[in-house]
Amino acid sequence: MANEKLQLFPTKNDPYLMNSSKLLYHLDRIEKWRAGERVPPILIDIGATKACNIKCRFCYGVFQDLNQKTVIPPKVLVNLFYDAPRLGIKALVLTGDGEPTLNPGMWDALVIGKRGGLDIGVATNLVAVDVAKMDVMLDTCVWVRVCIAAANRKSYKFMHGQDYFDKVIQNVQTMMLHRSWNRNQTTIGLQMVLIPDCLDQVISLSKLAIDLGVDYFVIKQFSDPGVNWWNPGDKTIPCRGFNPDEFVKEAIPILVKAEGMSNDQTKIIVKWSLITRKNKRAFPKCIDCPFIFQISGDSTCAPCGYLFGDRRYLYGDLKKQSIGEIINSDHYWWLIDFMAKKFDVFKECQGSCRHSQTNVFMNDYIKRPEYYQELAKNLPPIKHKNFI
């Protein structure tokens, strides 16, 4: 699958280009990197904590060793949001390992990051959020994405391990109402991680998203990283072990039906490329690392979430170094070079890669940069450009 063709432009049903990569919109930075310049990342994914208040059956954080005591110190998180735009970083996303809203420093960090010009996204289960916190997100974030894999209370409790369905739906409704009242521009969406246990919820959750009036409902791939060989606990994700070939075959007609339910207000977006790829690699080299930087909920930094906890791939630790010190260090750039030239993507990592689509793009770009330079001269507008 190493020569898979990548979608390059947004569509009516996917104006965010979620099924692909937006690196074509950042050729200025890519060209500087190709010329040998040490460029800052475009995007940082931040696991603000390893704590979580639900227990999702598909949770990748289990593989990354979730616990209820580990959190990025609030001052460290705030400093990151202050420093990032001054280094040329364009966007930050608060996401796993755990639930980002459990980090008490998040709210000040959002305000400081917005003030500095950052584009900010938050992926959340929306359980531990009151009205005041919703308003902070609406005032500071480009988007807020709610993780939910069930359309009723019973299924939610099974999929997420807690009885919070009514609370989450009420919070979504409240956010939508406050967005309208305050005339905020924040995009609000829902996200499902697709596994066999929730396939029967796809259509009903699509209907719920439409009824709620959210901007989109995205259905994404499950990532099966296997057993965590470097962690003595050998923690595995609860739902792993199903046959991906049989499951995808069963899922396709349901996903097609769901996608056809899109309307002008609510887009039902299926990440077709990654779902049908079934955890297989579609690129030969991991060369996009200069552009996406990832931070674990324990403050350590690595090329990707699969490598969290593996000391061989540690960029640095934000409790000991600033983000500027890390990305300007020789060690960081040595690891970037190692990932591009020596890391074997077919043997040394597993699962559906966070960097998959950006790597498909970059591996083709280095073969024919002139082609992409020509395309970049007349790009259509795109939403959420800096979330590559």
Side-chain angles (χ1 to χ4, degrees):
M1 300 184 70
N3 295 313
E4 180 175 315
K5 187 176 181 180
L6 194 68
Q7 179 185 337
L8 294 173
F9 304 113
T11 65
K12 182 179 180 181
N13 197 61
D14 183 9
Y16 317 99
L17 205 53
M18 289 187 183
N19 199 38
S20 187
S21 164
K22 305 184 190 77
L23 277 177
L24 182 59
Y25 289 76
H26 296 274
L27 283 195
D28 53 344
R29 189 158 300 191
I30 294 173
E31 290 291 340
K32 291 178 180 178
W33 165 80
R34 191 165 71 100
E37 184 175 332
R38 291 184 170 186
V39 298
I42 298 166
L43 171 69
I44 294 180
D45 284 350
I46 308 160
T49 178
K50 285 183 174 288
C52 196
N53 47 7
I54 60 176
K55 296 179 181 180
C56 302
R57 292 186 57 76
F58 48 77
C59 182
Y60 196 88
V62 173
F63 172 80
Q64 296 168 325
D65 196 20
L66 283 179
N67 66 74
Q68 298 302 317
K69 297 181 180 180
T70 302
V71 61
I72 294 180
K75 183 177 180 181
V76 171
L77 190 66
V78 169
N79 287 343
L80 170 65
F81 276 70
Y82 178 85
D83 291 341
R86 289 159 178 81
L87 295 166
I89 295 160
K90 296 184 178 183
L92 274 70
V93 175
L94 284 152
T95 178
D97 320 6
E99 166 55 34
T101 61
L102 299 182
N103 187 318
M106 170 177 159
W107 313 103
D108 287 340
L110 291 179
V111 173
I112 287 171
K114 172 69 173 180
R115 190 180 298 155
L118 277 175
D119 282 351
I120 303 170
V122 175
T124 172
N125 57 41
L126 210 64
V127 170
V129 179
D130 58 22
V131 171
K133 290 176 179 178
M134 290 181 203
D135 284 338
V136 173
M137 289 194 289
L138 289 170
D139 287 340
T140 58
C141 295
V142 173
W143 56 260
V144 176
R145 183 179 303 147
V146 181
C147 178
I148 183 169
N152 59 69
R153 185 176 176 183
K154 180 180 178 181
S155 297
Y156 185 97
K157 188 173 182 180
F158 174 70
M159 288 300 304
H160 299 287
Q162 297 289 344
D163 189 12
Y164 290 139
F165 176 77
D166 292 340
K167 181 176 185 178
V168 171
I169 298 305
Q170 183 177 1
N171 282 345
V172 173
Q173 292 171 326
T174 301
M175 280 198 74
M176 295 297 295
L177 190 61
H178 278 237
R179 183 178 75 169
S180 177
W181 285 348
N182 300 331
R183 298 183 179 181
N184 296 111
Q185 299 301 309
T186 305
T187 299
I188 299 173
L190 308 182
Q191 175 175 278
M192 167 191 274
V193 176
L194 186 67
I195 60 174
D197 292 331
C198 62
L199 183 59
D200 66 341
Q201 298 295 298
V202 168
I203 300 301
S204 53
L205 195 48
S206 298
K207 291 177 181 176
L208 179 58
I210 291 167
D211 290 344
L212 290 168
V214 295
D215 298 296
Y216 65 81
F217 167 44
V218 60
I219 304 163
K220 67 172 289 186
Q221 74 289 349
F222 166 68
S223 180
D224 185 352
V227 175
N228 193 333
W229 62 268
W230 50 261
N231 187 323
D234 282 341
K235 296 184 178 180
T236 59
I237 300 172
C239 73
R240 65 178 299 266
F242 59 86
N243 185 307
D245 295 314
E246 293 179 2
F247 174 58
V248 170
K249 184 178 180 180
E250 180 185 3
I252 284 176
I254 296 172
L255 297 175
V256 169
K257 181 179 179 180
E259 193 174 55
M261 295 169 63
S262 291
N263 60 30
D264 290 342
Q265 172 58 41
T266 304
K267 304 302 181 186
I268 312 299
I269 301 170
V270 179
K271 289 194 171 183
W272 287 110
S273 292
L274 292 168
I275 289 172
T276 57
R277 197 176 294 157
K278 295 171 285 192
N279 288 289
K280 297 181 177 68
R281 292 289 173 267
F283 54 91
K285 295 289 182 182
C286 190
I287 57 177
D288 78 325
C289 293
F291 309 109
I292 301 179
F293 187 99
Q294 293 190 245
I295 302 171
S296 176
D298 63 2
S299 306
T300 59
C301 310
C304 69
Y306 181 82
L307 300 175
F308 285 174
D310 190 330
R311 307 295 295 183
R312 298 174 300 170
Y313 300 99
L314 182 69
Y315 285 154
D317 187 333
L318 289 174
K319 294 194 294 291
K320 302 174 183 178
Q321 305 152 278
S322 69
I323 184 64
E325 289 171 336
I326 292 172
I327 67 172
N328 289 311
S329 69
D330 290 339
H331 172 70
Y332 169 75
W333 285 100
W334 178 87
L335 267 175
I336 293 287
D337 189 63
F338 178 89
M339 294 298 296
K341 295 177 180 178
K342 297 183 179 180
F343 187 81
D344 189 333
V345 300
F346 300 105
K347 295 180 180 179
E348 298 183 70
C349 60
Q350 296 184 61
S352 183
C353 179
R354 166 67 178 88
H355 295 246
S356 183
Q357 303 298 66
T358 43
N359 266 317
V360 171
F361 176 89
M362 286 302 302
N363 276 271
D364 196 50
Y365 164 81
I366 60 173
K367 296 176 184 176
R368 47 176 185 163
E370 296 82 7
Y371 168 75
Y372 289 101
Q373 290 163 2
E374 190 63 29
L375 285 179
K377 291 179 181 178
N378 189 27
L379 292 173
I382 192 168
K383 294 185 177 182
H384 305 175
K385 182 178 79 170
N386 292 328
F387 299 94
I388 59 173

